[in-house]
Amino acid sequence: MENMMGLLRIHIQKGVNLAVRDMRSSDPYVVVKMGKQQKLKTRVVKKNVNPEWNEKLTLSVADPNLPIRLSVYDKDTFSFDDKMGDAEFEIGTFIKVLRMGLEGLPDGTIITKVQPSRKNCLAEESYIVWSKGKVVQNMVLRLRNVECGEVELQLQWINVPSSRGL
């Protein structure tokens, strides 16, 4: 991809109070997509509405203005997988902070916050912080089109030497 800016590592940490889609529980997994890229998936966590995936998915970013779509599904053996909600988030503020070229901040420094609004799926304030020598963004996304559920994740940027950069 000659037009690539870099890579976005999305650490899908866990789901909280996800919807029940089987008899008493669900077998959830997450699908992440940006633009026309191939979908990335986490593993299925069996019989759990509070799954801990703790998985890192990596997207190549060409256009930072495109939203990233996250969908949660319940894995079914004999039928189509059931939808358990979706969310979208944007990385514009995260990219702006990365372009500041910050260096050497004390670990845990909060650089900026993104407020929840009707235009985003944030369940609470999202902090962009300096952590272990890098800029990261922590998010809790409230799932839409479902009765309940949130997904917690963290964003981290990976520079690629052959890319056009930020």
Side-chain angles (χ1 to χ4, degrees):
M1 251 186 160
E2 72 240 9
N3 211 15
M4 184 175 71
M5 291 176 62
L7 300 173
L8 182 69
R9 174 155 299 144
I10 304 171
H11 180 186
I12 309 283
Q13 295 163 327
K14 63 183 179 177
V16 178
N17 193 28
L18 299 180
V20 172
R21 287 292 178 260
D22 294 335
M23 292 296 268
R24 291 191 196 103
S25 191
S26 292
D27 305 316
Y29 66 95
V30 176
V31 175
V32 175
K33 189 168 175 27
M34 182 180 197
K36 295 182 173 154
Q37 284 189 55
Q38 179 179 350
K39 295 175 185 174
L40 303 173
K41 291 182 189 178
T42 66
R43 65 189 161 75
V44 174
V45 177
K46 298 269 187 205
K47 294 182 174 68
N48 199 331
V49 293
N50 295 295
E52 297 214 9
W53 289 288
N54 197 24
E55 285 189 44
K56 294 176 180 167
L57 306 177
T58 305
L59 287 171
S60 56
V61 177
D63 182 355
N65 300 312
L66 288 175
I68 296 171
R69 185 173 178 90
L70 177 144
S71 301
V72 181
Y73 293 92
D74 169 45
K75 182 74 176 160
D76 285 329
T77 307
F78 301 110
S79 62
F80 291 111
D81 293 354
D82 300 314
K83 196 146 196 211
M84 295 175 65
D86 62 80
E88 274 188 0
F89 62 92
E90 301 199 352
I91 59 170
T93 305
F94 183 63
I95 297 291
K96 278 183 197 163
V97 170
L98 289 167
R99 286 179 172 151
M100 291 177 180
L102 301 171
E103 291 290 329
L105 297 175
D107 204 45
T109 300
I110 297 171
I111 301 162
T112 192
K113 302 172 190 172
V114 180
Q115 298 296 328
S117 72
R118 291 178 186 216
K119 294 183 178 180
N120 64 37
C121 293
L122 294 174
E124 58 190 48
E125 270 185 336
S126 172
Y127 294 96
I128 300 176
V129 299
W130 185 262
S131 176
K132 299 177 184 152
K134 295 181 189 274
V135 175
V136 299
Q137 182 172 1
N138 298 304
M139 289 185 188
V140 178
L141 298 175
R142 180 166 291 126
L143 297 174
R144 306 177 294 195
N145 306 311
V146 69
E147 58 272 22
C148 58
E150 296 176 351
V151 174
E152 296 182 16
L153 55 90
Q154 183 183 75
L155 306 180
Q156 181 185 326
W157 188 257
I158 301 168
N159 285 313
V160 178
S162 61
S163 70
R164 65 182 166 105
L166 294 166

